[in-house]
């Protein structure tokens, strides 16, 4: 049996932190896992910036409330779910992604959560498990699934390389240079063609 796993932001949703940066005017918040491969370094930097500028969870959720899935994302997910199961493996947080899941038709999502104090400040983040994307792939393989994985960032390479078949979706050039052997799709049309081929074989 085959099952798909995929990243969330940059694949089906816009990058949340980039939109927070645009809304607040804080350029440093535009950095994502496309730019910094070490997730702990990235999140520590983000939390420090939020604290410095007195931004709360509600401030970020207000930005998220105004976001919509990428154009064609809901239709792409519907197309996939008519053909096989898909699990979204994301390094986002339940407090961020929850409101957007309804707009995507509530796909299965495995992600992390935040620690928030009494004043609604984000004071920490809690990884559900280290290296969760690659380990989720291994767990599914342990259940005798043939896993197909795709994503767009450095933090997706573990699951893509661990999967039985994997590829990038609209990655930045810096990542494709570092991983030249991983196939690439650059649109939902190309994604459909790739998945049609992989699911048929």
């Amino acid at each position: 049996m085959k099952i798909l796993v995929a990243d969330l932001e940059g694949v089906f949703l816009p990058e949340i932190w980039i939109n927070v940066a645009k809304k607040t005017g804080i350029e440093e918040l535009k950095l994502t896992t496309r730019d910094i491969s070490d997730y702990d370094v990235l999140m520590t930097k983000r939390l420090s910036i939020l604290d410095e500028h007195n931004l709360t969870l509600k401030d970020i959720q207000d930005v998220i409330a105004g976001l919509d899935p990428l154009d064609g994302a809901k239709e792409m997910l519907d197309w996939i779910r008519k053909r096989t199961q898909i699990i979204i493996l994301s390094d986002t947080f339940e407090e961020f992604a929850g409101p957007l899941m309804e707009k995507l038709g509530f796909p299965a999502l495995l992600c992390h959560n935040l620690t928030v104090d009494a004043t609604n400040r984000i004071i920490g983040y809690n990884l559900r498990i280290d290296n969760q994307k690659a380990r989720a792939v291994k767990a599914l393989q342990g259940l005798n699934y043939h896993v197909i994985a795709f994503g767009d960032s450095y933090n997706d390479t573990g699951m893509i390389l661990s999967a039985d078949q994997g590829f990038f979706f609209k990655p930045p050039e810096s990542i494709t240079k570092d991983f030249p052997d991983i196939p690439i799709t650059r649109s939902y049309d190309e994604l459909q063609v790739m998945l049609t081929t992989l699911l048929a074989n």
Side-chain angles (χ1 to χ4, degrees), residues 34-150:
R34 287 173 166 230
D35 308 297
I36 299 176
S37 58
D38 188 316
Y39 190 69
D40 184 60
V41 170
L42 178 61
M43 276 307 303
T44 300
K45 185 175 184 65
R46 285 171 172 169
L47 294 185
S48 174
I49 293 168
L50 294 182
D51 187 57
E52 179 184 343
H53 292 271
N54 296 312
L55 292 174
T56 66
L57 174 59
K58 185 181 184 305
D59 293 324
I60 297 174
Q61 289 175 327
D62 286 345
V63 174
I64 293 169
L67 299 181
D68 287 310
L70 296 175
D71 189 34
K74 172 66 163 53
E75 294 76 12
M76 186 70 233
L77 272 171
D78 289 344
W79 183 91
I80 289 171
R81 293 166 77 182
K82 287 178 182 177
R83 290 158 178 81
T84 191
Q85 297 295 311
I86 182 168
I87 298 172
I88 306 297
L89 300 177
S90 176
D91 280 330
T92 191
F93 304 95
E94 293 173 357
E95 295 84 355
F96 292 175
L100 291 168
M101 289 299 98
E102 181 176 2
K103 296 180 180 181
L104 289 174
F106 292 107
L109 169 67
L110 303 181
C111 61
H112 312 299
N113 65 16
L114 297 167
T115 299
V116 182
D117 71 11
T119 65
N120 204 235
R121 288 173 56 253
I122 301 170
I123 58 173
Y125 68 96
N126 312 297
L127 297 183
R128 187 170 49 81
I129 192 172
D130 288 335
N131 198 23
Q132 65 123 355
K133 295 188 180 191
R135 290 172 72 176
V137 168
K138 294 293 187 184
L140 289 167
Q141 290 169 329
L143 294 172
N144 204 28
Y145 279 103
H146 177 103
V147 182
I148 300 169
F150 59 97

Side-chain angles (χ1 to χ4, degrees), residues 75-76 79-80 83 185 187-198:
E75 294 76 12
M76 186 70 233
W79 183 91
I80 289 171
R83 290 158 178 81
T185 55
S187 67
Y188 288 137
D189 287 342
E190 289 185 15
L191 180 58
Q192 281 194 16
V193 171
M194 176 72 84
L195 292 177
T196 297
T197 300
L198 296 181

